[in-house]
């Protein structure tokens, strides 16, 4: 049948069909302005890290000169070794992995359970308890330092890692974050269907809540790990140089009459590398989980 033999409605249907298929499969392409903007943002974001690496590869005398160096020198590995030995970063790295890892796992687990309870379970005073939980985020952490230190001293935990771990096992932000996510991402009908099938509360949490909350758990885990790794205020009060975390150990590099800025930058670079490695290894899974959750939503 030729085009001339088609009736008018048939011609319209034939014209609409290929255009519909092309529209559905058409991909959006970024223009040159998009690439320029993304390149500028990438350079601005990487500038502090690149400057840290450049300063770590120079000498302290060269860093004091004007103009400052704009390219790498030849003292990078020497300064890294000096910073590693002076700060005792071997023990500090091990302690930080234990502290940040424990805090991340416990925060993600407990925040997901608490967020699920506030989002989907009905119990008395749930609104008041949620309001009190959110209210704790308005209290400056500096106000809790003195009573927290006295409490840990009474327990006999001074200069021990559990002093840093215990106050951060769960956070109000994590609970509120997971609650807001589960309100939208977890259908109540799915929980009711699991209950009808005879699933216990533990099984509902394991087979229904955790799979639905996985994207938000990944994001919360990354944020918690970065915060726990970079935390300085409470660890510098609770720990000493004999049993430090990375941030406490790096603080010793700035002591002395004339601190060596190149060695300090080398120590800061060493303290940042684990975060970069963690993001390189798990960043793809985290972004994939976020996109998966967005598509399901």
């Amino acid at each position: 049948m030729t085009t001339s033999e088609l009736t008018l409605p048939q011609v319209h249907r034939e014209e609409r069909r290929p255009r519909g298929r092309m529209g559905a499969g058409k991909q959006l392409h970024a223009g040159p302005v998009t690439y320029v903007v993304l390149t500028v943002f990438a350079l601005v974001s990487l500038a502090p890290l690149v400057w840290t690496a450049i300063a770590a590869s120079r000498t302290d005398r060269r860093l004091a000169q004007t103009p400052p160096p704009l390219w790498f020198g030849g003292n990078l590995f020497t300064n890294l070794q000096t910073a590693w030995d002076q700060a005792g970063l071997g023990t500090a790295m091990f302690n930080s992995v234990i502290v940040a890892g424990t805090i991340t796992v416990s925060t993600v687990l407990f925040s997901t359970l608490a967020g699920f309870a506030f989002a989907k379970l009905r119990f008395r005073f749930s609104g008041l308890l949620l309001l009190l939980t959110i209210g704790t985020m308005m209290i400056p952490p500096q106000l809790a330092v003195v009573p927290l230190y006295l409490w840990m001293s009474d327990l006999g935990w001074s200069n021990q890692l559990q002093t840093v771990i215990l106050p951060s096992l769960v956070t109000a932000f994590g609970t509120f974050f997971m609650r807001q996510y589960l309100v939208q991402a977890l259908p109540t009908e799915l929980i009711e269907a699991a209950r009808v099938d005879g699933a216990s509360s533990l099984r509902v949490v394991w087979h229904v809540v955790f799979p639905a909350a996985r994207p938000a758990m990944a994001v919360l885990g990354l944020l918690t790990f970065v915060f726990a790794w970079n935390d300085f205020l409470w660890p510098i009060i609770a720990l000493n140089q004999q049993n430090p975390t990375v941030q406490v150990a790096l603080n010793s590099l700035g002591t002395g009459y004339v601190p060596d800025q190149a060695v300090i930058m080398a120590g800061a670079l060493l303290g940042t590398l684990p975060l970069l490695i963690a993001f390189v290894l798990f960043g793809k899974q985290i972004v994939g989980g976020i996109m998966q959750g967005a598509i399901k939503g």
Side-chain angles (χ1 to χ4, degrees), residues 40-113:
V40 170
F41 273 97
L43 292 177
V44 172
S45 301
L46 290 174
L49 182 62
V50 173
W51 165 247
T52 301
I54 292 175
S57 66
R58 295 287 184 166
T59 62
D60 190 55
R61 177 178 297 181
R62 178 64 183 90
L63 293 179
Q65 296 176 357
T66 303
L70 299 177
W71 192 245
F72 298 94
N75 298 324
L76 177 61
F77 294 103
T78 301
N79 291 334
L80 290 176
Q81 185 64 44
T82 302
W84 183 277
D85 295 336
Q86 287 185 2
L89 287 179
T91 302
M93 289 280 188
F94 180 76
N95 290 343
S96 286
V97 169
I98 294 177
V99 170
T102 304
I103 291 176
T104 299
V105 173
S106 65
T107 297
V108 172
L109 176 61
F110 294 140
S111 296
T112 303
L113 295 176

Side-chain angles (χ1 to χ4, degrees), residues 269-285:
L269 185 63
L270 286 172
T272 307
L273 284 179
L275 297 179
L276 298 177
I277 294 174
F279 185 79
V280 169
L281 293 178
F282 303 107
K284 185 176 181 180
Q285 289 80 359

Side-chain angles (χ1 to χ4, degrees), residues 16 24 64 74 77 79 82 84 108 110 130 139 166 168 185-186 205 220 238:
R16 285 199 301 267
F77 294 103
N79 291 334
T82 302
W84 183 277
V108 172
F110 294 140
L130 179 61
I139 302 175
L166 182 63
S168 303
L186 182 59
V205 170
L220 179 61

Side-chain angles (χ1 to χ4, degrees), residues 158-238:
S158 299
N159 301 323
Q160 298 183 28
L161 296 183
Q162 57 263 36
T163 307
V164 181
I165 295 174
L166 182 63
S168 303
L169 288 179
V170 64
T171 61
F173 168 77
T175 301
F176 179 72
F177 178 79
M178 295 305 303
R179 187 261 179 192
Q180 293 301 104
Y181 181 83
L182 290 173
V183 165
Q184 300 294 333
L186 182 59
T188 306
E189 294 79 6
L190 193 60
I191 302 174
E192 294 175 350
R195 294 289 192 186
V196 171
D197 291 339
S200 61
S201 299
L202 181 61
R203 192 166 185 178
V204 169
V205 170
W206 185 261
H207 292 283
V208 178
V209 178
F210 283 169
R214 188 177 298 137
M217 293 170 69
V219 176
L220 179 61
L222 179 62
L223 295 177
T224 304
F225 184 84
V226 172
F227 176 80
W229 186 274
N230 292 329
D231 190 18
F232 176 75
L233 176 62
W234 177 238
I236 194 62
I237 297 173

